[in-house]
Amino acid sequence: MNNFSVKMTTKLARIAQKRWISSTTSTSNMYDPRVFREPITDVQELRKPLDVDDERNFLFVKAMKSDATPVFYRDHVIDKLIRVCTKDGEKETSRRNVHSALEIIKRRQYKAWVKASDEEKKNIELDPFVVAKKGIKNCHPLMKLQGVTRGGTTYQVPFPIEEPEAEFRAMKMMRDICRVRSKHGETHFKDILATELLAASQNEGSTISAKQELHKTCEANRAYAHYRA
Amino acid sequence: MKPFGRLAYTTARRIGTCKRNVTTSRHFSVESNVQTNIESGTLYEMDLTVAKQLNMKTHLPSQLAKQMDTLGEIVTLVREPTAEVASCMRVVDKHLPNLRLVLWGAFGTGKTVTLNQAVHHAYKNNWAIVNLRSAMELTRRVKEIEMSSFVAGRINDPSNAVAILQNFKQQNQHVWKTLTDLLTEKDYEWSKSERTLKEKPITEIVEMGISAPFLASDCVGAIFRELRRHAKNDKLKVLVAIDDANSLWGKTLVKRADRTYAPPSDLTLVVHFRRMIANDWTNGCVLMVADKKEVADARDELEVSRHTPLELFGEEGFEFIEPFVPIETSNYTESEADTIYNYYVSKNWLASKSGKHSFLPQYILNLPIFLARSEEGRKQLMYLSAFNPYYYERLCAFN
Amino acid sequence: MHRLSHISTRSRSTLADKLRSAVGGSDYGKSKQALAAGSIAAKDENGEDFRELYVMPKRKLRGQIQLEQNTGRAEIKTRSRFDLMDRLAERPPRSEEMDPEKHKWSDVWPAARTFAASVVPLPVRMGSRPNVEKRAPFKKEGNLELVKIPNFLHLTPVAIKQHCDAIKKFCTPFPPELIATPSLAATCLPISVQYSTYIHQGTNIRDIRSRVVTMIVDVESLKLTENAQEKFIRLAGKRYNKESKKLTIITDRCHTRKQNLDYAHYLLTVLYHEANKVEQWAELKERSDNLQVEFEGSETKTKLVDLIEKAKTAGLKPDESSITEFGEMWKSYRNSEETVDKTREYGRQMKKLLGISGNN
């Protein structure tokens, strides 16, 4: 884990030097690095006994985060979506909403699957995690717009985007659309999120169109690309 | 219903002997008048049309009602409490005062489900059914009130009364003919103009109540009275199934004219239901659920209420329902959890990472950690839900 | 006063000048005169010098000095002591000069006293510091922390033994029977009185808590009748503990311990006598006034008996003999904390009573 983080930081540092992405990593850590080690999040690893010489026999272990527990339904995309949809620090509510959305997706898909013929059945994805992942993936923007100020005017310049940030932007777009739509209390956030995810997995829906709008604006602002440096 | 005895599902205690081919040999009888054994540990299916008639969609917990919609069938697990209730119902006799049963247990252990299974069982055996979805509706969700003309100081609830009568009509379609043959004991003068004469079928009272909401509360009382009378005379057996029954002695949100809250004994419908519970009539069975909803307060961060009958009914309620048989509902055993798991797998309901996605290579998909359908998934479902039926169902719902 | 002071005063007078000039000749005082006269350098017509009129000597007269001294307005010149240097010479602290053979600690430190570093012969250290490894705590000389904390140097075992020996002749020995059989105390001495004495490190011997008196009485020993006991328990309220069957009276409403003890005794007497009295209105007592819910005479029992009777005609096989057992279980169920286990027991017994088996 430590090695990985070192690699990440050097790579990050290199990219950060080119000023394409944020370079602020968490520099301060309340855990004393001399005394604390990362917890083991993999179930198979947990079941194996620790080596006698392993330093973790004599050191403390950091607290495991609630979205790193070794449950069988652990999924990076869904966990990130939960974090993104959290409001006022109420992660439990967000978790409930996202899992309810997954349930709704599953129910709709199941109903369709039951009605479908045998050939069509193969094409219908029952796993809500897969559907949600595909939906988010389809919403990944390829570029982002960043404001660059030159001579008093701020130009919206298209910049390249890394995978994690693209994922975040996709989730944020979806979340904002769903929040606006569920504001009046008629429909719940979970229902709207389910509809959006399902539509996005078919390359339809408001989030996909929002992404396409973004691409169009990037294409239109192509001329400002030389402001990047 | 023919039992599952053809497969090796004899006792719920034997772990690991349950076979997984559930789909093929599940039976349900359509119109059977035979009182058959209900074996605990088996899956119990209710025919959809029957379920619609018994209004299961509103009476079952909302998650199971959704399952009914999605999967197209209602299959629940028969456990110890249902078997006990069934054996108590078998004992009912015209000489025996009505047998009171109280279902109690922790949250999510199957009190409401057992109640509905019992209602279905009663339907199977051609009993009359008086089913109340939740006594809390009578005490807390009262939209409009009327002062009773029959007894001074009593408060009528027209909308709930009409709902009860409509529900009664719908649920008793299978014995409607028998009910039509039963006749009223006396003249009922509902108001100056409306009346039901003596020696008329009691179903008329129901119709009267449904058509005139302002009379409905009194009609409810009358129909209950007639049912009790005919049960005593061995014309029919009655199952009274009340969910959240401890609310009949609980808190009310009905305000009187002087802006104080009315005690439950001032509400006509509560009084009628209490009379149904009282053991002065025979040939019936009263099945009540003691639910914590009445007593638990979400804003009280210090106290946690018990789920035992004396705590929930209160002293007054407890003394009223005594002598009763308390029946406990508990968490799943491993074999029960296995049965449900196998059922979900057979219906293709557990879909998590089951190999349908295209972008992950097969060797990763086959890794035990990634499959909800694997041994790992099966075990984790049991332990993550702590064997609680409600949480087990919730976990299976999104996986 | 300097022995020759009068000479110095006198030597400054004008008469002295005259004498000097009379002895020394006319030119002896001339220059002086010229200086003294200042502008008056004139000689009179005879060629004689100015003769100043002698009014008063230019000094404080003896009488004036004495007056000033008597009234306390004299300027007193302070002069250093003759033995000053001896006094300032350093002396070792007392603790070093003490010899355990010759001196008794209880004589050095007989009563409670703030810590004095020079007196206490122990190498005590006290103080905190940022790095524990780097330095030792501060030494006792000039250590305010040691002064702030209470010390019990006046209560060494030897000193306490001395006190005890002095008091012993006023005490009687503890009864050996009570030491041999501890349970004897419960039967022979049903009343136990507890109070606390508080010692302080300072000069004040008083503590407000020492007036509190706790009296614990074994109620069985009062030998009350059934009704009297119930009345006693009702009157006592929270002071009665039903598990241990003891009454605890804690008083502190009077100023002194003696008064509180008397009050406790008074309360016990009153409770006892009131419990034995039977009032007229006690006859109005109903079932709902009982302290515990009884199975006998309850509606449950009548209903249950009725149900069992009818169950027999219905064809069930109820177990009538177990109704007493059920009654006991019911009483404990109603009168104590309801638990899951108790409810299960209730269910089991009810099924057994009515003859309903589990799975048919």
Side-chain angles (χ1 to χ4, degrees), chain B residues 37 80 83-84 87 90-91 93 95-97 104 306 308-311 315 318-320 322-324 326 328, chain C residues 300 303-304 307 310-311 314 316 330 333-334 337-340 343-344 346-347 350-351 356-360:
Chain B
N37 282 341
E80 275 287 309
E84 281 184 34
S87 64
R90 208 168 299 123
V91 160
D93 186 81
H95 297 292
L96 185 71
W104 65 281
R306 287 176 237 261
T308 42
L310 179 57
E311 168 89 11
E315 274 198 31
F318 191 82
E319 281 180 5
F320 190 92
E322 273 203 308
F324 66 92
E328 195 192 353
Chain C
T300 312
K303 281 197 216 168
L304 199 59
L307 183 63
K310 295 199 178 138
L316 281 175
W330 191 89
Y333 184 73
R334 286 300 301 269
E337 198 180 324
E338 193 190 8
T339 58
V340 170
T343 321
R344 285 183 195 142
Y346 183 102
M350 181 61 92
K351 276 192 226 154
I356 304 168
S357 62
N359 291 319
N360 278 26

Side-chain angles (χ1 to χ4, degrees), chain B residues 363-375:
Chain B
Y363 71 91
I364 288 188
L365 293 174
N366 288 336
L367 280 177
I369 184 66
F370 287 122
L371 301 172
R373 293 183 177 212
S374 66
E375 187 57 30

Side-chain angles (χ1 to χ4, degrees), chain A residues 35-97:
Chain A
V35 180
F36 283 90
R37 292 291 170 267
E38 296 292 325
I40 302 170
T41 49
D42 179 39
V43 177
Q44 307 305 325
E45 277 294 311
L46 263 178
R47 286 185 187 143
K48 288 187 216 156
L50 264 187
D51 212 19
V52 188
D53 316 319
D54 195 321
E55 58 174 2
R56 284 175 294 196
N57 279 314
F58 315 105
L59 295 171
F60 292 110
V61 174
K62 295 185 191 178
M64 187 184 273
K65 294 193 180 171
S66 65
D67 47 14
T69 49
V71 282
F72 68 92
Y73 56 84
R74 185 55 56 221
D75 187 71
H76 162 75
V77 170
I78 297 297
D79 290 332
K80 192 161 173 178
L81 184 61
I82 291 171
R83 285 196 289 273
V84 168
C85 295
T86 309
K87 196 174 175 192
D88 286 336
E90 287 182 9
K91 203 169 189 176
E92 277 302 312
T93 323
S94 172
R95 199 162 166 266
R96 213 181 331 130
N97 280 337

Side-chain angles (χ1 to χ4, degrees), chain B residues 135-165:
Chain B
M136 274 178 94
E137 284 173 3
L138 305 181
T139 54
R140 311 258 191 124
R141 285 216 294 167
V142 178
K143 278 170 255 173
E144 44 178 44
I145 56 166
E146 274 178 2
M147 295 314 290
S148 170
S149 52
F150 188 57
V151 174
R154 286 249 188 94
I155 299 168
N156 280 351
D157 182 1
S159 40
N160 270 331
V162 168
I164 290 170
L165 288 169

